[in-house]
């Protein structure tokens, strides 16, 4: 972390405070609705004979179904915003604009899940450099603002979250579900460039969520990653070993 003056540090602590508050709120709400969520995911089984033969025709089939479940669960979270630039779900609350994007990853692509995830430019406000070994750093800036300014001049902070689902593409069994908070772009002074890495396409990024597992400025060192679901009974041993970082998070997580 670079040296930051006291006034700026207090502002950044406030950013992290609200990032954590909303992460806890999302996690708590979904934890309360955990059974409802699982029942929602299982509704596909009731009509399985009508869609099973077409599974795989559209790579986003599981993602589409998953998004429907979370739209349903978040229907009272805040006021939806119709901005064309943003995440799958975009809400306004009394003091923030909150982006929540749903991502699904298959076991065959577990490498796209273990340490980092793809994030779109329209899904984050981060700014920094994309560092590629042997090449000049490439400046990066997400398309979301760090603060939104309403037409009346009022400002509200931009908060970004990802709900990431790992599932077995052969039978659609859930493996684990994570909720993670990507730092607001103002926090580049705290996290630097370590939390972004090159995406598969030029100029695109991946969020290295394992490089920022905690809110660095909060005294309690709260986690930026919540494990909403860990279904060890569905996992092969090799998968569990690859997800050791997540398993450790789950075991340390307060499940009271």
């Amino acid at each position: 972390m670079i040296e930051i003056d006291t006034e700026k540090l207090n502002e950044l602590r406030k950013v992290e405070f609200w990032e954590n508050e909303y992460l806890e709120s999302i996690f708590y709400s979904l934890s309360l609705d955990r059974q409802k969520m699982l029942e929602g995911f299982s509704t596909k089984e009731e009509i399985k004979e009508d869609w099973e033969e077409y599974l795989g025709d559209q790579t986003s089939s599981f993602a589409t179904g998953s998004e429907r479940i979370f739209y349903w669960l978040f229907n009272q979270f805040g006021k939806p915003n119709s901005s064309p630039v943003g995440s799958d779900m975009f809400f306004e609350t009394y003091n923030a604009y909150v982006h929540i994007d749903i991502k699904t990853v298959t076991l065959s692509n577990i490498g796209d899940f273990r340490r980092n995830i793809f994030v779109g430019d329209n899904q984050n406000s981060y700014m920094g450099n994309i560092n590629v070994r042997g090449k000049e750093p490439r400046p990066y800036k997400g398309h979301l603002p760090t603060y939104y300014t309403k037409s009346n001049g009022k400002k509200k902070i931009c908060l970004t979250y990802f709900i990431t689902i790992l599932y077995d593409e052969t039978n659609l069994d859930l493996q684990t579900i994570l909720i993670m908070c990507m730092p607001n772009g103002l926090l580049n002074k705290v996290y630097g460039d370590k939390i972004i890495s090159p995406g598969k396409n030029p100029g695109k990024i991946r969020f290295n969520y394992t490089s920022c597992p905690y809110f660095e400025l909060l005294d309690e060192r709260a986690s930026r990653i919540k494990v909403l679901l860990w279904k060890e009974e569905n996992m092969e041993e090799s998968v569990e070993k690859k997800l050791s970082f997540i398993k450790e998070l789950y075991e340390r997580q307060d499940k009271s």
Side-chain angles (χ1 to χ4, degrees), residues 68-87:
R68 294 189 199 116
I69 300 304
F70 285 106
Y71 291 151
W72 173 48
L73 295 173
F74 278 99
N75 66 354
Q76 298 296 317
F77 184 82
K79 181 181 178 181
N81 189 281
S82 61
S83 168
V85 178
S87 295

Side-chain angles (χ1 to χ4, degrees), residues 141-152:
K141 186 177 185 302
H143 291 173
L144 302 184
T146 55
Y147 278 86
Y148 282 92
T149 305
K150 302 190 69 168
S151 56
N152 62 6

Side-chain angles (χ1 to χ4, degrees), residues 239-255:
V239 172
E240 187 179 335
K241 285 182 178 179
K242 290 176 181 177
L243 300 180
S244 58
F245 174 85
I246 296 168
K247 183 178 181 180
E248 288 173 13
L249 280 179
Y250 177 71
E251 291 175 343
R252 291 199 306 266
Q253 187 170 272
D254 180 10
K255 297 185 282 293

